[in-house]
Amino acid sequence: MAFRKPPDGGWGWVIVVVSFFAQFLCYGSPLAVGVLYLEWLDAFGEGKGKTAWVGSLANGIGLLASPVCSICVSSFGARPVAIFSGFMVAGGLMMSSFAPNIYFLYVSYGIVVGLGCGLLYTATVTITCQYFDKRRGLALGLISTGSSVGLFIYAALQRELIELYGLDGCLLIVGALSLNILACGSLMRPLESSSSPPPEKMFVDKVPDQYFVYHEKEKTVEENISILEKGYIDEKSVNNVPDCKQDSILNKNTLSSINVNEKDTYKKKVVEQTNFCKQLAKRKWQLYLTYWKETMVLFKNKVFSALFVAILLFDIGGFPPSLLMEDVARSANISEDDYYMPLISIIGIMTTVGKLILGILADFKWVNTLYLYVTTLIMTGVALFAIPFAKSYLTLAMLSGILGFLTGNWSIFPYVTTKTVGIEKLTHAYGILMFFAGLGNSLGPPIVGWFYDWTQEYNTAFYFSGFCVLLGGFLLLLAALPCWNACTNQSSKLPPNTYSYKVASNA
């Protein structure tokens, strides 16, 4: 299907609005799952590590399945995938209200809702990129704030719904709200060229002859025989040569000739199809080999390798606060009278601010985006180390705001990836990094919860989280230092099509 030039406006702004609300409705509950986490701890009586798997799966499974989500959007289009994801998210939330145990929640909330979020994210980003070119950064920035605003509102909304209707009623109502994703998805009109030919004609015109294996078998053998017999009878009637014996012999010869020709044609087409399948399998195998070779070339770039380690460690250590901060406050015996706003709501609104401010800073030419990203990692590690010393709501609220702002570094991560590997390898590299980011999201909260189960306090857990983030930040800083680049460039040459950050940033 041929797409016309992105209009950078018009219906594209409708796409931005509905994508914003779709991410708001989809990600609101999974990102604010920390409120539900407390209720699940009380309802099922399981350990903190085991219970934390529910929220970590919901947030990580979409990133882990990002290649599958991309294939679905490419095959079926953004609109059908967005509508289907609405059914998944709403259905998963409603099923979770009937969960008899924590293992049921792993599937209903963790996997079903998580996959729905991954499908919707890919659909909204894809269709927004189709409608915008010059203003693509602005459009993507606007729709990405939908998830952060959803975190801010859903944290307070879910707490209020739990007080009014209980945990089960809260999940049913939130699931019903998620059905509005269907309305948002129905407005995601694909950007098609009005001058493109009908799909059926395009399909027939583009299919090579060798695909029509049974083209010459459209008419059965009996139909061919009847047609030939009719033609012979007509010819005989014109010539007035009646001969029943000759009719019988000719019909028998005709049948034999047709069977032989039909078998030869069928064998020929089977051989052609077999050769085509062999060539297709060989071509696919070559594509897989090329993919792995390009992957190995990417990892020979020391900055990319350090970035891969940094994003994995950052999500292992930096994601748990958004899930566990409410339980940290309860463990610190903070009075509910001092609880002016859910800590998760503070994280959500400050994440929105962080995305916008860090994104603006990344556009300045005098700002090195890699060093800016490293700075956010180091500051996040320091803030995580400070959590065990926070014993009041005010200090926890301040740390929540700082962590939320620094988590906004997701908005500059694509910039860093582009500068590291180049624009031509961005899709390949970003897919790998997002897979490991999802792995970190899935593992982080359970690890912190297990630390609590072993030690019965959060201090050791957040020391571990801060150490992971700091380690990733310092490794990335070491790989990007100019003096380190100079030393390695003297000892060895970079592989072809591989870039150090210094070279790519000057391009």
Side-chain angles (χ1 to χ4, degrees), residues 76-266:
F76 304 106
R79 176 192 278 173
V81 171
I83 294 174
F84 180 73
S85 68
F87 281 113
M88 288 192 69
V89 174
L93 290 170
M94 292 180 179
M95 284 193 301
S96 299
S97 66
F98 303 101
N101 52 55
I102 200 70
Y103 302 103
F104 187 92
L105 285 174
Y106 289 163
V107 178
S108 63
Y109 198 98
I111 296 178
V112 177
V113 176
L115 278 176
C117 291
L119 288 169
L120 183 73
Y121 177 80
T122 306
T124 53
V125 169
T126 300
I127 196 166
T128 302
C129 290
Q130 291 174 1
Y131 270 88
F132 288 89
D133 184 16
K134 296 179 181 179
R135 299 177 180 176
R136 183 175 296 169
L138 174 62
L140 291 175
L142 290 174
I143 69 169
S144 68
T145 58
S147 58
S148 301
V149 175
L151 169 58
F152 172 71
I153 294 179
Y154 268 74
L157 176 63
Q158 290 185 147
R159 169 174 286 188
E160 194 68 25
L161 290 175
I162 289 172
E163 291 181 358
L164 293 175
Y165 306 105
L167 176 62
D168 297 343
C170 170
L171 288 170
L172 284 174
I173 294 172
V174 171
L177 288 175
S178 300
L179 288 173
N180 289 287
I181 297 174
L182 306 183
C184 296
S186 64
L187 294 173
M188 295 180 184
R189 186 173 64 197
L191 183 65
E192 300 178 16
S193 175
S194 58
S195 61
S196 60
E200 294 80 9
K201 188 179 181 195
M202 288 174 58
F203 180 77
V204 173
D205 289 343
K206 290 184 179 180
V207 175
D209 293 338
Q210 59 263 34
Y211 290 163
F212 293 99
V213 179
Y214 301 103
H215 174 70
E216 295 172 9
K217 292 186 66 179
E218 290 178 353
K219 298 181 182 297
T220 62
V221 176
E222 290 77 13
E223 289 174 338
N224 290 332
I225 293 173
S226 63
I227 292 172
L228 290 173
E229 286 180 345
K230 183 179 178 181
Y232 175 70
I233 292 171
D234 292 341
E235 181 181 356
K236 191 175 71 172
S237 62
V238 172
N239 295 331
N240 295 320
V241 187
D243 191 349
C244 296
K245 187 175 181 181
Q246 188 175 1
D247 283 349
S248 175
I249 295 174
L250 185 58
N251 288 339
K252 190 179 295 184
N253 292 336
T254 302
L255 177 61
S256 176
S257 175
I258 290 174
N259 286 332
V260 171
N261 292 335
E262 197 275 335
K263 289 180 181 179
D264 291 341
T265 302
Y266 177 76

Side-chain angles (χ1 to χ4, degrees), residues 181-490:
I181 297 174
L182 306 183
C184 296
S186 64
L187 294 173
M188 295 180 184
R189 186 173 64 197
L191 183 65
E192 300 178 16
S193 175
S194 58
S195 61
S196 60
E200 294 80 9
K201 188 179 181 195
M202 288 174 58
F203 180 77
V204 173
D205 289 343
K206 290 184 179 180
V207 175
D209 293 338
Q210 59 263 34
Y211 290 163
F212 293 99
V213 179
Y214 301 103
H215 174 70
E216 295 172 9
K217 292 186 66 179
E218 290 178 353
K219 298 181 182 297
T220 62
V221 176
E222 290 77 13
E223 289 174 338
N224 290 332
I225 293 173
S226 63
I227 292 172
L228 290 173
E229 286 180 345
K230 183 179 178 181
Y232 175 70
I233 292 171
D234 292 341
E235 181 181 356
K236 191 175 71 172
S237 62
V238 172
N239 295 331
N240 295 320
V241 187
D243 191 349
C244 296
K245 187 175 181 181
Q246 188 175 1
D247 283 349
S248 175
I249 295 174
L250 185 58
N251 288 339
K252 190 179 295 184
N253 292 336
T254 302
L255 177 61
S256 176
S257 175
I258 290 174
N259 286 332
V260 171
N261 292 335
E262 197 275 335
K263 289 180 181 179
D264 291 341
T265 302
Y266 177 76
K267 290 180 180 179
K268 181 180 178 181
K269 295 302 180 182
V270 168
V271 171
E272 290 180 358
Q273 186 187 33
T274 303
N275 292 334
F276 172 75
C277 291
K278 289 180 179 180
Q279 294 175 359
L280 181 62
K282 185 177 180 181
R283 192 180 303 115
K284 291 291 184 183
W285 178 248
Q286 290 296 331
L287 289 175
Y288 287 130
L289 289 179
T290 303
Y291 176 84
W292 287 111
K293 288 179 181 178
E294 291 179 353
T295 303
M296 295 304 297
V297 170
L298 284 174
F299 278 100
K300 289 180 181 179
N301 183 341
K302 62 182 177 302
V303 179
F304 177 81
S305 298
L307 193 62
F308 143 74
V309 176
I311 191 64
L312 176 63
L313 293 177
F314 172 74
D315 281 277
I316 289 176
F319 176 67
S322 63
L323 176 62
L324 304 174
M325 192 61 81
E326 298 294 327
D327 193 46
V328 171
R330 186 169 71 170
S331 301
N333 297 320
I334 295 176
S335 174
E336 292 186 0
D337 296 334
D338 299 331
Y339 228 81
Y340 305 107
M341 182 185 295
L343 298 175
I344 299 180
S345 295
I346 298 175
I347 293 176
I349 196 64
M350 290 305 296
T351 300
T352 304
V353 176
K355 286 180 178 179
L356 295 175
I357 293 179
L358 293 174
I360 293 172
L361 287 175
D363 286 332
F364 288 110
K365 294 182 179 180
W366 52 269
V367 174
N368 187 310
T369 52
L370 180 60
Y371 292 150
L372 178 61
Y373 185 75
V374 169
T375 302
T376 62
L377 295 184
I378 295 175
M379 292 179 66
T380 301
V382 174
L384 290 170
F385 272 115
I387 289 178
F389 300 98
K391 301 301 181 182
S392 67
Y393 174 81
L394 181 60
T395 54
L396 284 176
M398 291 176 62
L399 289 173
S400 297
I402 293 171
L403 288 171
F405 180 87
L406 297 173
T407 305
N409 62 7
W410 276 100
S411 64
I412 64 173
F413 190 72
Y415 286 80
V416 177
T417 308
T418 304
K419 293 292 185 180
T420 303
V421 302
I423 189 64
E424 70 280 357
K425 295 185 179 180
L426 175 62
T427 303
H428 187 182
Y430 199 72
I432 295 173
L433 294 173
M434 286 301 98
F435 175 85
F436 286 100
L439 185 63
N441 273 346
S442 302
L443 294 178
I447 291 175
V448 172
W450 290 331
F451 269 109
Y452 184 92
D453 294 334
W454 294 335
T455 62
Q456 295 303 310
E457 45 88 17
Y458 275 116
N459 295 352
T460 307
F462 282 106
Y463 291 149
F464 169 79
S465 297
F467 173 77
C468 287
V469 178
L470 282 177
L471 178 61
F474 282 120
L475 287 176
L476 185 56
L477 177 62
L478 181 63
L481 286 176
C483 59
W484 177 253
N485 286 332
C487 293
T488 53
N489 287 337
Q490 289 177 0

